[in-house]
Amino acid sequence: MNRVILMGRLTRDPELRYSQGERSMAIARYTLAVDRRGRRSQDGSEQTADFIPCVAFDRAGEFAEKYFRQGMRVLVSGRIQTGSYTNRDGQKVYTTEVIVDDQEFADSKGAAADMGGYQSSAPAQRPAPSSAIGDGFMNIPDGVEDEGLPFN
């Protein structure tokens, strides 16, 4: 089975092109910086992220180009595809990329705006409601009728 699921940040805005031929198809390319699990070295000499090229076709490609921006954290699932070609110098070049089946935002819109780019991968802290009590439920203010609640 060839299945991959990645969560990372976009290293730059997706690049969209259209294929040639009878039926033109959108092709978006972008790279995800995916953090490695484990300890980071003290001097920072070790690479702490892998940079994974991704390709999205048709509507998924148009969606990526329209809504994804550099620094956003996204969740991608798809398959790994390898290939090779001979460059102008006659050397064989090997490629590996993820062909995207599904992609979605991994942060809320507010959290993505607060990040302002590729700065931190710490999750956003949600403030506690001011009327919360110790058991996790909110107090119902006085004067609210039982009929106004969405349950019996």
Side-chain angles (χ1 to χ4, degrees):
M1 178 188 307
N2 181 356
R3 191 77 182 152
V4 62
I5 300 171
L6 301 169
M7 183 165 50
R9 294 195 180 278
L10 287 133
T11 60
R12 62 179 176 262
D13 292 353
E15 184 179 300
L16 185 70
R17 294 188 180 171
Y18 287 90
S19 65
Q20 303 215 349
E22 218 175 280
R23 183 184 173 278
S24 182
M25 181 187 324
I27 303 169
R29 293 183 178 275
Y30 54 88
T31 301
L32 286 183
V34 179
D35 288 333
R36 290 183 181 175
R37 283 193 169 178
R39 296 183 182 171
R40 295 183 178 185
S41 64
Q42 294 294 337
D43 63 355
S45 63
E46 271 187 57
Q47 182 182 8
T48 59
D50 292 303
F51 297 89
I52 317 271
C54 299
V55 182
F57 293 97
D58 267 344
R59 287 186 177 172
E62 290 172 344
F63 178 88
E65 194 270 336
K66 186 173 182 179
Y67 296 108
F68 287 178
R69 293 291 169 255
Q70 178 179 347
M72 282 183 157
R73 190 163 57 153
V74 296
L75 182 66
V76 169
S77 65
R79 62 184 170 83
I80 293 178
Q81 180 172 290
T82 60
S84 65
Y85 64 92
T86 304
N87 67 12
R88 291 183 180 135
D89 300 330
Q91 297 173 332
K92 194 159 195 164
V93 177
Y94 295 93
T95 62
T96 302
E97 56 195 8
V98 172
I99 305 301
V100 175
D101 292 331
D102 190 34
Q103 59 190 356
E104 59 189 75
F105 301 102
D107 284 328
S108 66
K109 188 172 184 177
D114 290 343
M115 296 304 275
Y118 188 88
Q119 294 174 359
S120 170
S121 60
Q125 296 295 321
R126 179 181 294 178
S130 59
S131 60
I133 55 177
D135 59 3
F137 291 97
M138 294 180 66
N139 290 323
I140 298 175
D142 292 336
V144 174
E145 299 296 323
D146 288 340
E147 292 83 28
L149 297 176
F151 51 85
N152 292 330

